[in-house]
Amino acid sequence: MTARLLVVVSGLAASGKTTTGTLLSERLTMPLIDKDAILESLFDSLGSPDRETRTRLSRASDEVLFRLAEASHASILVNWWNHDSAPQRLRDIATSIVEVHCDCPVEVAAERFQARRRHPGHHDGDLSVKEIEDGITRLRDNYRGPLGVGELVRIDTSRPVDPDHTTEQVRSAMVVAAR
């Protein structure tokens, strides 16, 4: 395996993963591989007429993300991670991993989820407010927290993130992870 550094951004849906990943990509000058960007490209090219198709394309996007990460010397990965399979797959392709865990209360995540406007291929508009709230609560109740794949940096994303402090925390963790 080639030396490979992955900064893995984890957290609940609407916890600030993409915002945090983008900030770190810019400040650390590392490429960002965002699963939603891959997925939305598939929506644009293949269509997403229903939730079943959306789910199938989502699984395909996970595979593309892992392939891109495997081909990268260093990158920042953003995804809603599967705790059953992702940790081992990430360890198999990286020699150093820093996990940046975005954490916020379920109520904050639910408000953000309801307020955001994503690509129509996600079919968010098909869900009622109650379905969104119930879904996020179910995720929180069953959520296992960080993946446990490397040096852990916890970020409280319930309030604006301090870019300088966050970047410094991740840089420090990168040094430890490289040992």
Side-chain angles (χ1 to χ4, degrees):
M1 174 187 342
T2 323
R4 195 173 281 114
L5 167 66
L6 298 178
V7 175
V8 175
V9 184
S10 64
L12 276 173
S15 64
K17 297 182 300 293
T18 298
T19 301
T20 300
T22 301
L23 171 124
L24 292 171
S25 175
E26 292 168 359
R27 289 186 161 244
L28 298 171
T29 61
M30 292 173 64
L32 175 67
I33 304 173
D34 184 345
K35 185 259 185 88
D36 276 348
I38 297 165
L39 179 57
E40 291 168 4
S41 293
L42 292 177
F43 292 159
D44 289 341
S45 62
L46 300 173
S48 178
D50 52 44
R51 294 200 60 79
E52 182 180 317
T53 301
R54 184 235 179 263
T55 299
R56 197 169 57 257
L57 292 176
S58 182
R59 296 297 70 79
S61 298
D62 288 333
E63 292 305 314
V64 171
L65 178 136
F66 279 109
R67 294 279 177 100
L68 291 172
E70 195 170 22
S72 170
H73 174 69
S75 56
I76 296 172
L77 307 179
V78 175
N79 195 358
W80 163 252
W81 301 98
N82 178 324
H83 276 69
D84 294 329
S85 60
Q88 189 57 52
R89 289 191 74 183
L90 292 165
R91 286 185 198 103
D92 287 346
I93 62 173
T95 55
S96 301
I97 302 175
V98 173
E99 180 178 1
V100 178
H101 184 71
C102 298
D103 195 23
C104 67
V106 68
E107 298 78 19
V108 172
E111 286 174 22
R112 288 177 182 166
F113 191 92
Q114 291 168 357
R116 72 182 180 182
R117 296 294 168 252
R118 297 192 300 171
H119 190 289
H122 288 282
H123 294 277
D124 293 341
D126 297 350
L127 302 172
S128 70
V129 171
K130 176 139 179 50
E131 286 174 314
I132 292 168
E133 288 173 351
D134 289 350
I136 291 177
T137 299
R138 212 172 23 261
L139 286 174
R140 175 62 94 184
D141 291 346
N142 297 314
Y143 188 55
R144 300 187 222 170
L147 293 167
V149 291
E151 289 301 311
L152 179 62
V153 176
R154 288 183 183 268
I155 308 281
D156 178 0
T157 56
S158 63
R159 58 182 190 266
V161 172
D162 178 337
D164 294 329
H165 180 67
T166 300
T167 303
E168 190 49 45
Q169 283 182 290
V170 173
R171 274 196 182 110
S172 295
M174 288 167 61
V175 169
V176 174
R179 292 184 188 155

